[in-house]
């Protein structure tokens, strides 16, 4: 068991208090500008992102090839469209089956539930990021996911780990590159986030497309699994809400759930929205200014770092009543507050998560799976709590997952 920190030592709480006292635009250590107004954050990020381009490859930098510049706006459009197209009953059925299969193999013994839920979700997402990888290459991508999870938990990489970590990253890059080359050579098409990026190969080269796919792999290796752990934590801490979810989910067959019948799941949707508000991760997002930005009293110089935080917005008393309280019913239409753009669980405007459609669908199916197919019994000798160091991480969250008796 780990010791819960003194709330006075919580850096997020200290920053939130500074925002309350000094306002939404703050000077932070290292010359960083903190921007914690939802309107300003989105405006500044839009200005900074309008002409942002995909980074050059080493071959481009060395002059071995001159690739056409591609903006992130174009890449985002491709991936956002693909995200919507991937939320089909067939894909949702396959996603549920992958999550269920992994969790079924790990029932019956006491274990760290945060790590178990993270693995259940992050591994199930790999075929949606890049389908068709198996064998040694798949094991390499899974190993890299584990590495990213460890870094997120530890928030620090000691020197002695950096060389083996770098070699693992290189091996994962080669695995992705092999898959891309094979698919291009064969004219092969698959339903995943990689497919629309293959159309860019002739323009920007395989190595830069590999980089774009790697970005998607990074995205699925952190937040989705962490949020799944937070949802199970909420079910354990607020059992009445688990009962609400179970009642809604049991009233539907799986085939109907694969169509994501949101209107038939009002309590589930409020539960998920509130968990994503309270335990948004990561807590802060840092950007490098691509140009000088002067806007509504905000001044950021080119190459200066500015910081945004959905966590600060989600915990501000300016936008939420009792923001530290887990209260899904705050999302009832009769109680809903005017949040003024302060609810940003998938990030800010032009650089928000391109896979939001898939991510949200997966959380719905994950909740359905956890109340229909399984049950969690917490260890009586552990007292779970939420650690908040860069990410919201259920800690000392130990228990046994079992098939739910029918």
């Amino acid at each position: 068991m780990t010791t819960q920190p003194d709330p006075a030592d919580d850096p997020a709480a200290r920053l939130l208090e500074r925002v309350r006292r000094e306002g939404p635009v703050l000077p932070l250590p290292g010359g960083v500008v903190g921007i914690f107004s939802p309107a300003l954050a989105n405006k500044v990020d839009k200005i900074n992102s309008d002409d942002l381009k995909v980074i050059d490859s080493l071959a481009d930098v060395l002059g071995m090839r001159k690739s056409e510049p591609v903006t992130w706006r174009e890449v985002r459009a491709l991936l956002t469209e693909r995200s919507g197209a991937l939320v089909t009953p067939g894909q949702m059925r396959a996603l549920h089956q992958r999550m269920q299969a992994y969790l079924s193999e790990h029932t019956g013994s006491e274990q760290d539930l945060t790590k178990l839920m993270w693995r259940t979700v992050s591994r199930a997402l790999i075929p949606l990021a890049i389908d068709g990888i198996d064998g040694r290459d798949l094991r390499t991508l899974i190993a890299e996911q584990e590495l990213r999870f460890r870094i997120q938990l530890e928030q620090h990489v000691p020197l002695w780990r950096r060389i083996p970590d770098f070699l693992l990253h290189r091996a994962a890059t080669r695995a992705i590159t092999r898959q891309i080359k094979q698919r291009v050579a064969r004219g092969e098409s698959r339903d995943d986030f990689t497919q629309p990026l293959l159309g860019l190969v002739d323009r920007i080269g395989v190595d830069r497309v590999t980089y774009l796919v790697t970005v998607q792999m990074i995205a699925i290796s952190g937040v989705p699994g962490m949020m799944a752990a937070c949802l199970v934590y909420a079910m354990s801490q607020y059992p009445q809400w688990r009962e609400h979810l179970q009642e809604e989910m049991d009233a539907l067959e799986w085939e109907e759930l694969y169509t994501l019948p949101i209107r038939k799941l009002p309590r589930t949707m409020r539960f998920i929205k509130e968990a994503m508000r309270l335990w948004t991760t990561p807590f802060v997002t840092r950007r490098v200014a691509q140009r000088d930005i002067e806007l509504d009293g905000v001044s950021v110089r080119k190459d200066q770092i500015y910081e945004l935080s959905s966590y600060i917005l989600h915990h501000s008393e300016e936008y939420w009543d009792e923001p530290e309280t887990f209260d899904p019913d705050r999302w009832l239409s009769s109680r809903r507050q005017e949040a003024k753009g302060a609810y940003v669980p998938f990030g800010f405007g032009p650089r928000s998560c391109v896979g939001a459609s898939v991510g949200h669908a997966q959380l719905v199916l994950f909740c359905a799976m956890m109340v229909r197919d399984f049950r969690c019994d917490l260890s009586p000798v552990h007292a779970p709590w939420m650690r908040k160091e860069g990410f919201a991480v259920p800690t000392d969250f130990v228990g046994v997952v079992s098939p739910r008796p029918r």
Side-chain angles (χ1 to χ4, degrees):
M1 296 178 66
T2 57
T3 303
Q4 295 192 34
D6 186 328
D9 295 331
D10 182 351
R14 291 199 301 271
L15 179 57
L16 187 59
E17 181 57 33
R18 276 198 67 191
V19 173
R20 290 193 189 104
R21 292 195 318 264
E22 303 173 37
V25 180
L26 299 174
L28 300 175
V32 176
V33 179
I35 306 172
F36 306 116
S37 153
L40 281 175
N42 280 296
K43 287 179 181 178
V44 169
D45 220 32
K46 183 180 186 306
I47 292 171
N48 194 47
S49 304
D50 273 347
D51 298 319
L52 190 65
K53 294 179 175 59
V54 177
I55 63 171
D56 288 337
S57 67
L58 182 61
D60 294 307
V61 172
L62 296 178
M64 298 164 58
R65 183 187 65 227
K66 186 61 178 176
S67 297
E68 178 183 339
V70 173
T71 65
W72 274 104
R73 192 186 316 112
E74 180 180 352
V75 173
R76 283 184 56 81
L78 291 172
L79 295 175
T80 302
E81 181 181 5
R82 175 60 64 159
S83 180
L86 288 175
V87 185
T88 64
Q91 287 283 7
M92 295 301 97
R93 183 185 305 107
L95 181 59
H96 167 232
Q97 290 171 350
R98 290 194 296 270
M99 291 191 295
Q100 185 184 52
Y102 183 84
L103 204 50
S104 295
E105 292 176 0
H106 296 83
T107 59
S109 62
E110 191 171 276
Q111 56 192 301
D112 182 335
L113 296 175
T114 293
K115 184 176 291 186
L116 177 61
M117 300 308 159
W118 173 82
R119 286 174 171 163
T120 298
V121 165
S122 60
R123 295 189 186 187
L125 284 171
I126 291 176
L128 285 175
I130 181 165
D131 194 21
I133 288 188
D134 54 19
R136 181 177 179 179
D137 282 349
L138 178 59
R139 290 192 294 273
T140 298
L141 294 188
I142 290 173
E144 190 185 36
Q145 280 191 329
E146 294 283 334
L147 167 60
R148 296 190 190 284
F149 179 70
R150 189 193 75 215
I151 292 172
Q152 288 164 359
L153 289 184
E154 297 177 359
Q155 299 285 303
H156 174 70
V157 181
L159 284 174
W160 65 270
R161 281 185 181 166
R162 294 186 184 181
I163 291 178
D165 288 357
F166 171 78
L167 294 176
L168 179 55
H169 288 314
R170 291 299 303 156
T173 298
R174 288 193 293 270
I176 293 170
T177 298
R178 276 192 291 272
Q179 178 69 5
I180 290 172
K181 287 181 175 179
Q182 288 174 8
R183 284 167 62 167
V184 170
R186 297 171 183 171
E188 186 178 340
S189 178
R190 291 180 177 269
D191 289 331
D192 59 13
F193 280 108
T194 296
Q195 189 61 39
L197 299 175
L198 299 186
L200 300 174
V201 167
D202 290 341
R203 292 171 56 190
I204 65 175
V206 170
D207 42 4
R208 292 172 80 192
V209 172
T210 296
Y211 163 74
L212 294 175
V213 176
T214 299
V215 170
Q216 305 312 305
M217 288 298 300
I218 293 171
I220 70 168
S221 298
V223 174
M226 290 291 196
M227 183 49 60
C230 289
L231 289 171
V232 177
Y233 175 83
M235 291 179 196
S236 72
Q237 300 303 298
Y238 308 98
Q240 72 275 21
W241 276 96
R242 189 187 191 285
E243 292 174 6
H244 293 331
L245 269 60
Q246 184 171 312
E247 181 181 350
E248 283 189 340
M249 298 298 188
D250 280 349
L252 304 173
E253 296 297 327
W254 269 112
E255 287 303 315
E256 186 173 6
L257 285 168
Y258 297 145
T259 69
L260 304 171
I262 303 306
R263 291 184 180 180
K264 295 182 179 181
L265 302 170
R267 286 177 167 175
T268 300
M269 302 315 297
R270 296 202 301 274
F271 176 83
I272 292 173
K273 288 184 75 171
E274 181 66 351
M276 294 182 75
R277 182 196 68 82
L278 192 60
W279 298 308
T280 309
T281 56
F283 288 169
V284 298
T285 300
R286 288 192 164 188
R287 313 275 202 227
V288 177
Q290 305 299 308
R291 63 180 74 182
D292 290 346
I293 300 173
E294 298 281 350
L295 175 71
D296 298 342
V298 176
S299 178
V300 185
R301 302 270 72 82
K302 186 178 185 297
D303 297 325
Q304 189 175 11
I305 295 172
Y306 64 91
E307 182 173 289
L308 314 173
S309 174
S310 54
Y311 179 88
I312 295 297
L313 299 186
H314 290 180
H315 289 252
S316 172
E317 293 176 348
E318 181 177 354
Y319 307 110
W320 313 95
D321 292 334
E322 300 183 14
E324 301 302 325
T325 300
F326 182 81
D327 179 14
D329 281 342
R330 74 170 71 244
W331 296 100
L332 286 167
S333 57
S334 59
R335 288 184 52 195
R336 192 171 301 163
Q337 295 175 260
E338 178 55 59
K340 300 177 183 177
Y343 184 62
V344 282
F346 290 103
F348 293 85
R351 293 170 74 175
S352 59
C353 176
V354 295
S357 296
V358 169
H360 197 265
Q362 184 186 36
L363 293 179
V364 173
L365 292 181
F366 178 80
C367 284
M369 180 182 72
M370 292 309 301
V371 298
R372 287 174 60 101
D373 298 340
F374 299 96
R375 57 175 288 174
C376 285
D377 296 302
L378 298 189
S379 166
V381 298
H382 288 77
W385 53 282
M386 191 65 71
R387 195 183 87 193
K388 300 177 181 179
E389 296 178 16
F391 290 81
V393 183
T395 303
D396 291 331
F397 192 34
V398 179
V400 178
V401 175
S402 308
R404 178 189 166 197
R406 290 284 184 173

